[in-house]
């Protein structure tokens, strides 16, 4: 990615006034070594980063930046999963170290870098817990977050890992009811720690609510109805409406008596994180999933192209809790046409887990190929 020169009056610099943090949805060893990430932190105000199997597949598989390390690990007899983990952990550690000043300045409220448990464990609660503990210990940085998918099997793992004192980024959230289950897991984990006489003041979590894919799937179903008069006003509306309803739930839970009791003992809110905010439909504005979801205690994790687009021509205003009644009406109108949002979000979770699993499998195959090629040199 290429970053343009900083503009002090750019929209990115104004987001902090609305209490929204920008994290980068990207990871690559080159940017960690050549100063590019440092420049993004200093010039763009990026305050954290996320990774996932698809990001690492592109980084490791489509460049030679990791080849020397792969060759060295292969020479030691490291298997392909071990090679992947060694590469990813090293990148996460390096990124954590570069965000450490943000983490300290923000008193532990920002400056996090996320690494995901294996997507192959999405249906395995015990396996997820064990891997989250292992990765957390291996990375050994206070500003790392371990990503656990927001599946039915993931919820008890989320609670246990948070109760263990591990910062957790819950990923692949699409449905409001599952988001509420994740909030419940977080609050329960804080209560578990208090019952065990453990500190809760340093524990942090974000709930990654995916956005653009909701429009992609809903729009596809609207188009199939072949009723343009009824469907045209609803195209490209489901994702932001769904996210605004989720934020409404966030406000209800974190302004309620249960959390207030925890806040009095040092508990921090679990911030909503808007993920998948790159616009996939070229007919839609390239900053719509940033412009329309700005507000207090939120994070927007942007791919590089979206970050640069927003820095260039984004609009900064508090929008996440505006026109919420309209959001409810839009979802109701979509469902009145026979498109059930639960079916949409169930499909997206299944597809999300499958996509990450396929990326992980592809990455491991690429590592095998590189090991063979490098051994022959």
């Amino acid at each position: 990615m290429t970053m343009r020169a900083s503009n002090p009056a750019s929209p990115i610099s104004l987001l902090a006034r609305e209490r929204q943090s920008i994290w980068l949805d990207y990871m690559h060893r080159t940017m960690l070594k050549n100063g590019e990430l440092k420049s993004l932190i200093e010039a763009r105000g990026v305050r954290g980063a996320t990774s996932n199997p698809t990001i690492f597949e592109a980084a490791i598989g489509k460049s030679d930046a990791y080849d020397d390390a792969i060759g060295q690990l292969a020479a030691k007899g490291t298997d392909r999963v071990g090679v992947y983990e060694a590469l990813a952990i090293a990148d996460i550690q390096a990124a954590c170290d570069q965000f450490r000043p943000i983490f300290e300045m923000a008193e532990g409220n920002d400056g996090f870098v996320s690494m995901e448990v294996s997507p192959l464990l999405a249906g395995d609660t015990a396996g997820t817990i064990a891997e989250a503990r292992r990765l957390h210990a291996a990375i050994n940085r206070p500003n790392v977050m371990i990503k656990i998918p927001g599946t039915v099997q993931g919820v008890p793992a989320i609670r246990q890992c948070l109760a263990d004192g591990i910062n957790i980024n819950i990923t692949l959230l699409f449905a409001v009811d599952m988001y509420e289950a994740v909030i419940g897991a977080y609050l329960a984990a804080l209560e578990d720690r208090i019952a065990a006489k453990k500190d809760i003041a340093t524990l942090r979590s974000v709930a990654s609510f995916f956005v653009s894919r909701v429009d992609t799937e809903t729009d596809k179903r609207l188009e199939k109805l072949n009723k343009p008069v009824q469907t045209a006003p609803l195209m490209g509306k489901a994702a932001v409406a769904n996210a605004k309803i989720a934020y409404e739930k966030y406000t209800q839970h974190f302004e309620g008596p249960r959390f207030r009791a925890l806040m009095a003992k040092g508990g921090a809110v679990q911030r909503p994180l808007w993920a998948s905010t790159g616009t996939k439909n070229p007919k839609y504005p390239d900053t719509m999933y940033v412009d329309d979801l700005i507000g207090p205690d939120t994070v927007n994790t942007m791919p590089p192209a979206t970050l640069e687009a927003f820095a260039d021509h984004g609009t900064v205003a508090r929008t996440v809790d505006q026109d919420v009644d309209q959001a409810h009406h839009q979802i109701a109108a979509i469902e009145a046409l026979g498109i059930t949002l639960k079916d949409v979000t169930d499909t997206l979770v299944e597809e999300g887990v499958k996509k990450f699993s396929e990326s992980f499998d592809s990455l491991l195959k690429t590592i095998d190929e590189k090991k063979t090629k490098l051994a022959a040199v």
Side-chain angles (χ1 to χ4, degrees):
M1 60 178 285
T2 301
M3 185 194 71
R4 293 193 289 272
S6 172
N7 174 5
S10 77
I12 290 283
S13 66
L14 303 177
L15 285 175
R17 298 182 188 176
E18 303 298 335
R19 291 165 51 200
Q20 183 172 75
S21 296
I22 294 304
W23 291 4
L24 183 68
D25 192 27
Y26 185 73
M27 186 70 59
H28 200 291
R29 183 158 294 187
T30 300
M31 72 183 302
L32 296 170
K33 290 187 172 183
N34 68 8
E36 189 172 1
L37 180 60
K38 186 173 184 291
S39 294
L40 285 171
I41 294 168
E42 295 175 352
R44 282 285 183 251
V46 172
R47 297 175 64 85
T50 53
S51 67
N52 60 48
T54 302
I55 287 172
F56 274 120
E57 178 197 18
I60 297 171
K62 298 178 181 178
S63 79
D64 59 5
Y66 297 83
D67 287 5
D68 287 345
I70 291 172
Q72 292 168 12
L73 290 162
K76 296 177 183 177
T78 309
D79 67 19
R80 62 183 190 168
V81 174
V83 170
Y84 158 69
E85 286 195 358
L87 299 176
I89 287 170
D91 279 6
I92 297 296
Q93 288 174 324
C96 281
D97 292 344
Q98 294 191 40
F99 280 108
R100 185 68 176 268
I102 297 289
F103 176 76
E104 293 176 352
M105 180 183 66
E107 299 180 338
N109 289 309
D110 232 331
F112 290 97
V113 183
S114 299
M115 179 172 176
E116 192 149 350
V117 297
S118 168
L120 305 180
L121 296 171
D124 181 350
T125 301
T128 295
I129 293 169
E131 177 142 327
R133 288 169 172 167
R134 184 174 59 79
L135 290 175
H136 179 257
I139 295 167
N140 193 29
R141 297 292 190 276
N143 56 327
V144 68
M145 279 189 170
I146 304 301
K147 293 175 81 172
I148 295 176
T151 59
V152 172
Q153 297 87 347
V155 171
I158 291 161
R159 176 175 177 175
Q160 181 59 62
C161 290
L162 285 165
D164 288 346
I166 300 171
N167 298 319
I168 299 296
N169 176 342
I170 299 95
T171 187
L172 287 179
L173 289 171
F174 296 94
V176 172
D177 59 350
M178 184 55 72
Y179 172 53
E180 288 197 273
V182 161
I183 293 174
Y186 176 68
L187 298 178
L190 293 180
E191 291 162 348
D192 291 342
R193 286 186 66 79
I194 290 170
K197 301 189 185 306
K198 294 179 180 178
D199 177 57
I200 65 170
T202 59
L203 192 65
R204 296 293 184 273
S205 176
V206 295
S208 295
F209 204 83
F210 281 51
V211 186
S212 65
R213 296 186 200 178
V214 174
D215 272 342
T216 301
E217 181 65 24
T218 306
D219 286 358
K220 180 173 68 177
R221 298 183 184 206
L222 287 169
E223 287 174 353
K224 284 183 179 179
L225 296 176
N226 198 25
K227 296 179 179 180
V229 174
Q230 294 99 316
T231 60
L234 299 172
M235 299 291 287
K237 303 300 182 184
V240 168
N242 193 43
K244 286 188 173 187
I245 293 168
Y247 189 80
E248 181 182 40
K249 297 297 183 183
Y250 161 80
T251 303
Q252 291 169 1
H253 284 281
F254 287 95
E255 291 184 356
R258 185 180 180 189
F259 177 70
R260 289 194 177 280
L262 293 166
M263 185 171 64
K265 297 183 179 181
V269 299
Q270 180 191 57
R271 289 186 293 173
L273 180 152
W274 311 124
S276 185
T277 55
T279 305
K280 293 178 171 55
N281 189 332
K283 296 179 182 178
Y284 298 155
D286 56 1
T287 61
M288 66 181 283
Y289 300 122
V290 185
D291 295 342
D292 294 344
L293 293 172
I294 296 171
D297 299 322
T298 58
V299 178
N300 194 308
T301 180
M302 302 184 197
T306 303
L307 175 67
E308 290 306 312
F310 188 78
D312 181 66
H313 53 266
T315 301
V316 178
R318 180 166 172 165
T319 50
V320 72
D321 52 2
Q322 305 301 307
D323 301 317
V324 179
D325 286 346
Q326 183 184 46
H328 282 282
H329 290 316
Q330 287 167 336
I331 296 299
I334 289 168
E335 297 209 325
L337 291 170
I339 297 171
T340 305
L341 196 62
K342 183 181 186 307
D343 186 58
V344 169
T345 56
D346 285 350
T347 297
L348 290 170
V349 172
E350 183 179 342
E351 288 181 352
V353 171
K354 182 181 178 183
K355 179 182 177 183
F356 283 166
S357 296
E358 289 172 347
S359 293
F360 191 65
D361 285 340
S362 175
L363 171 58
L364 295 182
K365 289 176 184 175
T366 298
I367 288 173
D368 274 341
E369 291 167 1
K370 288 200 171 197
K371 285 172 64 178
T372 301
K373 181 179 178 181
L374 291 166
V377 174

